[in-house]
Amino acid sequence: DGGITQSPKYLFRKEGQNVTLSCEQNLNHDAMYWYRQDPGQGLRLIYYSQIVNDFQKGDIAEGYSVSREKKESFPLTVTSAQKNPTAFYLCASSIDTGTSTDTQYFGPGTRLTVL
Amino acid sequence: AQSVTQLGSHVSVSEGALVLLRCNYSSSVPPYLFWYVQYPNQGLQLLLKYTTGATLVKGINGFEAEFKKSETSFHLTKPSAHMSDAAEYFCAVSPMNTGFQKLVFGTGTRLLVSP
Protein backbone atom coordinates (compact mmCIF):
# COMPACT_ATOMS: atom_id res chain seq x y z
CA ASP A 1 0.00 0.00 0.00
CA GLY A 2 1.20 3.51 -0.80
CA GLY A 3 1.48 5.99 1.99
CA ILE A 4 3.56 8.02 4.36
CA THR A 5 5.29 6.55 7.38
CA GLN A 6 6.69 8.47 10.31
CA SER A 7 8.87 7.09 13.04
CA PRO A 8 9.00 6.88 15.92
CA LYS A 9 5.39 7.38 17.03
CA TYR A 10 6.51 8.69 20.42
CA LEU A 11 9.86 10.30 21.18
CA PHE A 12 11.29 11.56 24.43
CA ARG A 13 14.20 13.93 24.52
CA LYS A 14 16.28 15.48 27.24
CA GLU A 15 16.90 19.19 27.09
CA GLY A 16 19.98 20.02 25.04
CA GLN A 17 19.73 16.99 22.76
CA ASN A 18 19.15 16.99 19.04
CA VAL A 19 16.66 14.45 17.74
CA THR A 20 15.73 13.39 14.21
CA LEU A 21 12.23 12.48 13.11
CA SER A 22 11.87 10.20 10.12
CA CYS A 23 9.42 10.66 7.23
CA GLU A 24 9.25 8.30 4.27
CA GLN A 25 6.76 8.18 1.39
CA ASN A 26 6.25 5.70 -1.41
CA LEU A 27 3.70 7.76 -3.31
CA ASN A 28 6.30 9.07 -5.76
CA HIS A 29 5.43 12.62 -4.69
CA ASP A 30 7.81 15.44 -5.43
CA ALA A 31 6.78 17.78 -2.62
CA MET A 32 7.16 17.09 1.07
CA TYR A 33 6.32 19.16 4.15
CA TRP A 34 6.82 19.28 7.90
CA TYR A 35 4.23 20.78 10.23
CA ARG A 36 4.09 21.32 13.94
CA GLN A 37 0.77 20.98 15.77
CA ASP A 38 0.11 22.47 19.19
CA PRO A 39 -3.24 22.38 20.99
CA GLY A 40 -5.50 25.22 19.91
CA GLN A 41 -3.05 26.50 17.29
CA GLY A 42 -3.70 24.36 14.27
CA LEU A 43 -0.80 23.34 12.05
CA ARG A 44 2.17 25.52 11.34
CA LEU A 45 4.62 24.94 8.49
CA ILE A 46 8.24 24.29 9.49
CA TYR A 47 9.94 23.38 6.19
CA TYR A 48 8.96 22.22 2.74
CA SER A 49 10.72 20.73 -0.25
CA GLN A 50 9.63 20.69 -3.87
CA ILE A 51 12.52 18.66 -5.23
CA VAL A 52 15.48 16.59 -4.11
CA ASN A 53 18.36 18.60 -2.68
CA ASP A 54 16.23 21.71 -2.28
CA PHE A 55 14.06 22.92 0.61
CA GLN A 56 12.58 26.15 1.90
CA LYS A 57 11.86 27.56 5.34
CA GLY A 58 8.28 27.75 6.43
CA ASP A 59 6.78 30.01 9.06
CA ILE A 60 8.54 28.55 12.11
CA ALA A 61 11.88 27.13 10.90
CA GLU A 62 14.04 28.43 13.76
CA GLY A 63 15.55 25.57 15.76
CA TYR A 64 14.84 22.97 13.05
CA SER A 65 16.79 21.57 10.13
CA VAL A 66 15.95 19.21 7.25
CA SER A 67 17.56 17.37 4.37
CA ARG A 68 16.21 15.97 1.13
CA GLU A 69 18.79 13.62 -0.28
CA LYS A 70 16.23 11.17 -1.69
CA LYS A 71 12.83 11.77 -3.21
CA GLU A 72 11.10 9.47 -0.74
CA SER A 73 12.72 10.76 2.46
CA PHE A 74 12.52 14.08 4.30
CA PRO A 75 13.92 13.82 7.86
CA LEU A 76 13.48 16.63 10.36
CA THR A 77 16.03 17.40 13.07
CA VAL A 78 14.86 19.23 16.16
CA THR A 79 17.92 20.97 17.52
CA SER A 80 18.71 22.17 21.02
CA ALA A 81 18.10 25.70 19.73
CA GLN A 82 14.36 25.00 19.56
CA LYS A 83 13.12 26.50 22.82
CA ASN A 84 9.81 24.69 23.09
CA PRO A 85 9.98 21.48 21.05
CA THR A 86 7.25 19.49 22.79
CA ALA A 87 4.57 19.08 20.12
CA PHE A 88 2.98 16.73 17.60
CA TYR A 89 4.92 16.70 14.32
CA LEU A 90 3.26 15.85 11.03
CA CYS A 91 4.87 15.09 7.70
CA ALA A 92 2.97 15.41 4.43
CA SER A 93 3.58 14.99 0.74
CA SER A 94 1.89 15.96 -2.51
CA ILE A 95 2.26 15.74 -6.25
CA ASP A 96 3.73 19.06 -7.30
CA THR A 97 1.67 20.13 -10.32
CA GLY A 98 2.94 23.67 -10.19
CA THR A 99 -0.42 24.88 -8.95
CA SER A 100 -1.77 25.30 -5.45
CA THR A 101 -4.65 22.85 -5.87
CA ASP A 102 -2.70 19.74 -4.89
CA THR A 103 -3.90 17.50 -2.09
CA GLN A 104 -1.47 16.96 0.74
CA TYR A 105 -1.35 13.46 2.22
CA PHE A 106 -0.33 13.22 5.86
CA GLY A 107 1.59 10.69 7.88
CA PRO A 108 0.39 9.47 11.30
CA GLY A 109 2.65 11.88 13.20
CA THR A 110 5.37 11.78 15.86
CA ARG A 111 4.69 13.06 19.36
CA LEU A 112 7.84 14.61 20.80
CA THR A 113 8.14 15.28 24.51
CA VAL A 114 11.04 17.06 26.13
CA LEU A 115 11.77 15.83 29.64
CA ALA B 1 -1.24 37.57 4.26
CA GLN B 2 -4.02 35.05 4.18
CA SER B 3 -5.68 33.79 7.31
CA VAL B 4 -8.42 31.40 8.32
CA THR B 5 -10.88 31.73 11.19
CA GLN B 6 -12.81 28.78 12.52
CA LEU B 7 -15.55 29.89 14.87
CA GLY B 8 -15.92 27.61 17.85
CA SER B 9 -13.10 25.45 19.12
CA HIS B 10 -15.69 22.85 20.14
CA VAL B 11 -19.05 21.98 18.61
CA SER B 12 -21.42 19.46 20.23
CA VAL B 13 -24.27 17.74 18.41
CA SER B 14 -26.50 14.77 19.01
CA GLU B 15 -26.33 11.74 16.76
CA GLY B 16 -28.60 12.34 13.78
CA ALA B 17 -28.47 16.14 14.07
CA LEU B 18 -27.14 18.59 11.51
CA VAL B 19 -23.42 19.31 11.65
CA LEU B 20 -22.28 22.86 10.81
CA LEU B 21 -18.64 23.86 11.19
CA ARG B 22 -17.79 27.42 10.26
CA CYS B 23 -14.80 28.69 8.30
CA ASN B 24 -14.08 32.22 7.12
CA TYR B 25 -11.00 33.32 5.25
CA SER B 26 -9.27 36.62 4.82
CA SER B 27 -7.77 37.24 1.41
CA SER B 28 -7.89 39.94 -1.25
CA VAL B 29 -8.19 37.23 -3.88
CA PRO B 30 -10.31 34.14 -3.23
CA PRO B 31 -7.98 31.28 -2.46
CA TYR B 32 -8.35 27.56 -2.90
CA LEU B 33 -10.13 26.07 0.12
CA PHE B 34 -9.79 22.75 1.91
CA TRP B 35 -11.33 20.84 4.81
CA TYR B 36 -9.29 18.16 6.59
CA VAL B 37 -10.32 15.78 9.39
CA GLN B 38 -8.05 14.45 12.14
CA TYR B 39 -8.93 11.50 14.35
CA PRO B 40 -7.16 11.24 17.72
CA ASN B 41 -3.40 10.76 17.47
CA GLN B 42 -3.52 10.44 13.70
CA GLY B 43 -2.58 12.48 10.68
CA LEU B 44 -4.98 14.59 8.65
CA GLN B 45 -7.21 13.30 5.87
CA LEU B 46 -8.72 15.44 3.13
CA LEU B 47 -12.52 15.69 3.30
CA LEU B 48 -13.04 17.99 0.33
CA LYS B 49 -11.60 20.96 -1.52
CA TYR B 50 -12.79 23.85 -3.66
CA THR B 51 -10.60 24.97 -6.53
CA THR B 52 -12.83 26.13 -9.39
CA GLY B 53 -16.28 25.42 -10.79
CA ALA B 54 -19.32 24.51 -8.72
CA THR B 55 -19.34 26.30 -5.40
CA LEU B 56 -21.06 23.41 -3.59
CA VAL B 57 -18.45 20.72 -3.06
CA LYS B 58 -19.22 17.19 -1.94
CA GLY B 59 -16.67 15.21 -0.03
CA ILE B 60 -16.20 11.91 1.73
CA ASN B 61 -18.35 10.55 4.57
CA GLY B 62 -21.38 12.61 3.53
CA PHE B 63 -19.81 16.01 4.16
CA GLU B 64 -20.19 19.00 1.88
CA ALA B 65 -19.15 22.65 1.88
CA GLU B 66 -20.24 25.73 -0.02
CA PHE B 67 -17.90 28.48 -1.15
CA LYS B 68 -19.55 31.88 -0.70
CA LYS B 69 -17.35 34.60 -2.07
CA SER B 70 -19.56 37.43 -0.82
CA GLU B 71 -19.31 36.11 2.73
CA THR B 72 -15.68 34.88 2.43
CA SER B 73 -16.89 31.61 3.89
CA PHE B 74 -16.51 27.89 3.32
CA HIS B 75 -18.66 26.24 5.99
CA LEU B 76 -18.72 22.45 6.33
CA THR B 77 -22.03 20.63 6.78
CA LYS B 78 -23.42 17.14 7.15
CA PRO B 79 -27.17 16.49 7.37
CA SER B 80 -26.99 13.75 10.00
CA ALA B 81 -24.13 13.22 12.45
CA HIS B 82 -22.72 9.79 13.22
CA MET B 83 -20.77 8.86 16.32
CA SER B 84 -17.84 8.11 13.99
CA ASP B 85 -17.75 11.79 12.94
CA ALA B 86 -16.28 12.77 16.30
CA ALA B 87 -12.89 14.25 15.40
CA GLU B 88 -11.10 17.54 14.88
CA TYR B 89 -11.76 19.42 11.68
CA PHE B 90 -9.41 21.91 10.04
CA CYS B 91 -10.17 24.45 7.38
CA ALA B 92 -7.22 25.53 5.24
CA VAL B 93 -6.52 27.92 2.38
CA SER B 94 -3.92 28.06 -0.31
CA PRO B 95 -3.35 31.13 -2.47
CA MET B 96 -4.13 30.76 -6.16
CA ASN B 97 -1.49 30.60 -8.83
CA THR B 98 1.59 30.76 -6.68
CA GLY B 99 3.15 27.83 -8.46
CA PHE B 100 3.31 25.88 -5.23
CA GLN B 101 0.84 24.95 -2.53
CA LYS B 102 1.39 26.47 0.88
CA LEU B 103 -1.52 25.69 3.16
CA VAL B 104 -2.57 28.04 5.93
CA PHE B 105 -4.64 26.21 8.54
CA GLY B 106 -7.28 27.40 10.93
CA THR B 107 -7.03 26.50 14.60
CA GLY B 108 -9.46 23.62 14.26
CA THR B 109 -12.90 22.70 15.59
CA ARG B 110 -13.42 19.61 17.68
CA LEU B 111 -16.73 17.92 16.92
CA LEU B 112 -18.34 16.02 19.78
CA VAL B 113 -21.22 13.66 18.99
CA SER B 114 -23.46 12.40 21.76
CA PRO B 115 -25.84 9.42 21.56
Side-chain angles (χ1 to χ4, degrees):
Chain A
D1 287 338
I4 302 175
T5 57
Q6 291 186 241
S7 62
K9 187 173 179 66
Y10 298 96
L11 185 58
F12 297 90
R13 187 194 95 172
K14 294 182 179 179
E15 283 192 24
Q17 286 182 334
N18 292 355
V19 288
T20 298
L21 282 59
S22 170
C23 177
E24 303 276 334
Q25 55 97 1
N26 61 5
L27 300 168
N28 199 33
H29 286 171
D30 289 303
M32 297 188 75
Y33 315 76
W34 273 105
Y35 292 93
R36 170 181 172 139
Q37 185 177 17
D38 296 281
Q41 294 193 43
L43 279 71
R44 293 179 290 169
L45 183 64
I46 305 173
Y47 269 97
Y48 62 96
S49 169
Q50 291 178 264
I51 196 169
V52 173
N53 292 324
D54 186 53
F55 47 83
Q56 306 297 327
K57 292 182 178 180
D59 300 319
I60 56 165
E62 185 175 353
Y64 300 97
S65 65
V66 294
S67 63
R68 187 87 187 275
E69 297 177 0
K70 299 185 295 183
K71 184 176 184 179
E72 58 270 23
S73 178
F74 191 40
L76 173 74
T77 296
V78 184
T79 75
S80 56
Q82 170 50 234
K83 297 305 179 188
N84 185 21
T86 294
F88 191 50
Y89 290 88
L90 289 160
C91 178
S93 71
S94 69
I95 295 173
D96 184 8
T97 61
T99 71
S100 45
T101 63
D102 302 326
T103 296
Q104 292 188 20
Y105 295 84
F106 284 80
T110 292
R111 189 167 298 279
L112 172 64
T113 303
V114 174
L115 303 174
Chain B
Q2 299 192 327
S3 65
V4 178
T5 300
Q6 292 185 243
L7 287 176
S9 58
H10 292 79
V11 170
S12 295
V13 300
S14 299
E15 193 172 21
L18 171 71
V19 175
L20 171 60
L21 304 182
R22 299 180 185 273
C23 173
N24 289 86
Y25 65 89
S26 171
S27 174
S28 57
V29 177
Y32 298 126
L33 297 152
F34 304 77
W35 274 101
Y36 280 85
V37 62
Q38 183 181 34
Y39 298 99
N41 293 311
Q42 294 186 26
L44 277 67
Q45 179 184 11
L46 181 70
L47 278 176
L48 49 81
K49 65 180 176 181
Y50 170 76
T51 55
T52 58
T55 55
L56 181 63
V57 182
K58 296 188 183 299
I60 62 172
N61 301 338
F63 284 93
E64 62 183 35
E66 186 171 11
F67 168 57
K68 292 187 177 181
K69 182 179 177 180
S70 61
E71 299 177 8
T72 61
S73 69
F74 191 54
H75 302 330
L76 182 70
T77 60
K78 182 174 180 177
S80 176
H82 279 213
M83 296 295 291
S84 60
D85 294 327
E88 190 153 22
Y89 293 79
F90 292 93
C91 182
V93 302
S94 180
M96 285 187 178
N97 302 325
T98 59
F100 182 66
Q101 184 188 72
K102 186 179 174 185
L103 288 174
V104 175
F105 285 87
T107 53
T109 297
R110 185 168 298 280
L111 178 65
L112 307 170
V113 183
S114 57

